[in-house]
Amino acid sequence: NIEPYLEGAKAPDDRFKDFRNHVLHVKENHWGGATAAANQWYRMTVESLRANDWSAAVYRAGVLSHYYTDPIQPLHTAQSDKEGDIHRACEWSIAQSYDALRELLVTELGGFPPIKAPSGSDWLTQMVKEGAEAARPHYETMLEHYDIHRGVKDPPAGLDRTLRVCVARLLGHAVSGFARILERGIDEARVSPPAVSLTLNGVLSSLSIPIYWVTKKMAAAEERAQVEATYRELQQSGFVRETLSEDDRTIRQLHAEEGLKTN
């Protein structure tokens, strides 16, 4: 079920485009819709698990993963003009550094943290807020330490040691936290996933891997072009407006319309 999982994980960006649900501004009374969206897709995931509809359950879990993990990215926890200048490039640098960041977490930073799911009916809301609150102290750090001049040419080089450490820890929080959410969902649904042949699974995976490598390279090339366009505008005008990504542009507009104070 890797295909529906990845499709679901990308759907909020590619299909729904409900960008207000991708943020949680901690110091603005948790402005954003991430908590409501996460709760909605958790309920839908559990419904599909109870119905033994594994493909739908995996798709919905993928969508849920997006709403839970996005607020654990510091740049999704506040708003500023400077953020728009580096947001897309910084996220690209993080994506291109994932394996190295995971290695740093495991070998130097104590591994994945022991996240626990809270009790109470609002446990998932608490978890989403806790993730955003863990990320928010690093918002200014990301603005100050990300080197877009290096990152646009060599994405991993845009992250200095300070950023690599804080992002690696946040990635660990996201992975451990989402594992707890999946455990709670499976327990609540009171189901056991069907047994599968590892041999057959391995064969199917080997058939899919080349496709994912090709699509990954295509996505990387497209993202590089977008980051380079943003960088050119920054160099020419000193700020980014025309080449802002759709999500950044939407959040900036909604944030301004609702009269919230920018940091």
Side-chain angles (χ1 to χ4, degrees), residues 160-234:
D160 63 9
R161 171 72 182 184
T162 298
L163 281 185
R164 288 197 299 272
V165 168
C166 82
V167 172
R169 286 181 170 145
L170 291 172
L171 286 174
H173 184 117
V175 171
S176 292
F178 190 57
R180 302 294 80 76
I181 294 170
L182 289 180
E183 287 175 346
R184 179 71 69 91
I186 292 171
D187 288 344
E188 186 175 331
R190 296 184 178 180
V191 294
S192 296
V196 297
S197 166
L198 293 180
T199 301
L200 176 60
N201 190 53
V203 170
L204 294 176
S205 295
S206 67
L207 293 175
S208 301
I209 285 173
I211 297 174
Y212 290 126
W213 275 113
V214 171
T215 56
K216 184 177 180 181
K217 289 181 179 179
M218 291 173 61
E222 180 181 353
E223 188 66 22
R224 176 183 287 276
Q226 293 171 342
V227 168
E228 288 176 345
T230 297
Y231 182 67
R232 285 195 297 271
E233 183 183 1
L234 181 63

Side-chain angles (χ1 to χ4, degrees), residues 20-32:
R20 190 180 187 278
N21 294 339
H22 304 194
V23 304
L24 207 63
H25 292 185
V26 173
K27 294 185 177 181
E28 296 172 318
N29 197 29
H30 294 97
W31 180 81

Side-chain angles (χ1 to χ4, degrees), residues 9 15 20 28 49 106 146 176:
R15 292 182 54 199
R20 190 180 187 278
E28 296 172 318
L49 287 170
V106 171
Y146 181 69
S176 292

